[in-house]
Amino acid sequence: MDKIVINGGRKLKGKVKISGAKNSALPILFASLLTDEPCIITNVPNLADINTTIAFLNFIGKKAQLNKDTVKILPFKNYNHIAPYDLVRKMRASVLVMGPLLARLKKVDVSLPGGCAIGARPIDIHLEAFKKLGVKIKVSGGYVKMSAPNGLIGAKINFRFPSVGATENIMLAAVLAKGKTIISNAAKEPEIEDLANCLNSMGAKISGAGTKTITITGVETLKGTRHKVIPDRIEAATYLIAAAITKGDICLESVCPKHIKIIIEKLKKAGLSIKEEKDKIYVKWVKDLKPQNISTDVYPKFPTDVQAQWTALMAVTNGKSGVKENVFENRFMHIPELKRFGADLAINGRTVNIKGVKELSGAPVMVSDLRAGAALVLASLAANGESIIARIYHLDRGYEFLEKKFKQLGADIKRIK
Ligand code: EPZ
């Protein structure tokens, strides 16, 4: 398995182009199942999860392929309604196939996704909502078997928690349901708005995306579309923190500053110099940072997907700080690994208590999940000496051209077989 070797202690300088958002591209690719017309999706990052989704679309009956940053999707043969275990276990987001296939085929069998490193990640919110749309559900043989013999009927849905995936799944079903669907306590992430914009460009009737109440009026059919995916706000946040932790001076291009407002605010408060332009962010380390506590929550609060990276930064920020994880129940897998660099961290329930140390020293470490991997890369960039990072396939799921981008910024980083 590949590893990444980093010799740390170098200040990052230069510019980096932020890729399209993985967590926006995934639901948008599944949305192509809602039409038999061609769809062209651009600004798509070349990542393992994207390639898994493309393989999945082809398995279901599309003709989809990624060429550079563009996915072209054509109808190919009649769709099959099964989402097999070996596809779903590779990528939890495969559950997003439920909405479109229930809307088009009125049935779908999806292997139960199973948990992952950061938690059990149930799909009860998805299933409760589908029942409201008239879907019959039974679980057998590790599969969720769903059917809507009379088609999907619009309904009032109130989420107990603003689940991103459940909001996307219901939107992907309700656009072709009979009548109106209103989702209350919907997720408000930018990826939800991007999906709604794409669906509306296909002829859907969605309003309120990005707020806590989304209204969807079902239509008969949807057209093909050409849609450009928004920039990846989590990748952008990761590079901002990379500049901070290496005392660097970099410019992020093709980025959407308003999607990471809270990260920019926190970094400015810590003492980083940040200047925003329309699709650029200039970030420069000017003085020792002051520790900042964070507590993760749903958008627009501090994103759980940046919690591990922030912890790495606080680990080398003089003084005490606390990081609280409120969204996932087990998202501290990076803590024991960060300690191997010499970080002074103590987990206390949902909070990590951090005592900033003067410097970290390079170490061999192992990635447990995508964003934990990002935290280990950041710590390696700041640490003195060599770090060897194993199980980097987790990183390949979410960071396009990772070592190439960091090398361009002056890091001493290479991938070894
Ligand atoms: C999306 O996952 C993202 N993935 C995650 O990013 C991100 O961390 C998460 O949203 C929160 O922002 C994609 O978009 C592909 P949720 P999702 O449903 O949709 C619980 C990454 O790093 N829950 O909002 O699965 C769940 O267990 C990934 O790119 C239920 O209990 O997140 C979790 O504790 C990691 N029942 C919380 O809600 C349900 O039916 C948030 O989950 C659904 C969720």
Side-chain angles (χ1 to χ4, degrees), residues 50-126:
I50 297 295
N51 295 317
T52 302
T53 302
I54 288 170
F56 194 0
L57 290 176
N58 289 322
F59 174 86
I60 292 175
K62 286 287 188 181
K63 205 166 177 57
Q65 60 182 29
L66 172 66
N67 185 348
K68 291 206 180 68
D69 76 344
T70 298
V71 181
K72 196 168 177 192
I73 307 163
L74 301 170
F76 178 51
K77 54 183 172 31
N78 55 343
Y79 301 147
N80 93 46
H81 69 285
I82 306 213
Y85 177 61
D86 65 341
L87 267 169
V88 177
R89 73 176 167 75
K90 249 192 274 183
M91 183 186 70
R92 296 182 35 74
S94 312
V95 294
L96 293 175
V97 77
M98 289 175 174
L101 291 194
L102 283 165
R104 295 295 309 279
L105 309 180
K106 303 184 178 21
K107 64 178 178 179
V108 66
D109 295 351
V110 181
S111 158
L112 272 166
C116 75
I118 61 178
R121 303 194 66 187
I123 54 169
D124 58 307
I125 300 173
H126 299 239

Side-chain angles (χ1 to χ4, degrees), residues 22-24 26-27 49 91-96 116 118-128 159-168 187 189 191-192 232-234 297-299 303-306 309 325-331 350 369-372 397-399:
K22 160 179 91 84
N23 291 350
S24 189
L26 294 177
D49 278 6
M91 183 186 70
R92 296 182 35 74
S94 312
V95 294
L96 293 175
C116 75
I118 61 178
R121 303 194 66 187
I123 54 169
D124 58 307
I125 300 173
H126 299 239
L127 301 182
E128 278 316 302
F159 283 155
R160 69 173 171 80
F161 177 87
S163 154
V164 172
T167 304
E168 291 163 348
E189 275 69 3
E191 292 75 32
I192 302 289
D232 192 316
R233 62 194 170 97
I234 307 301
D297 204 334
V298 297
Y299 192 85
T304 171
D305 292 350
V306 183
Q309 301 91 312
E325 171 55 55
N326 296 306
V327 177
F328 285 101
E329 72 266 28
N330 178 31
R331 206 166 190 175
R350 279 188 169 271
D369 59 272
L370 170 53
R371 306 305 172 181
R397 297 187 48 187
Y399 288 91

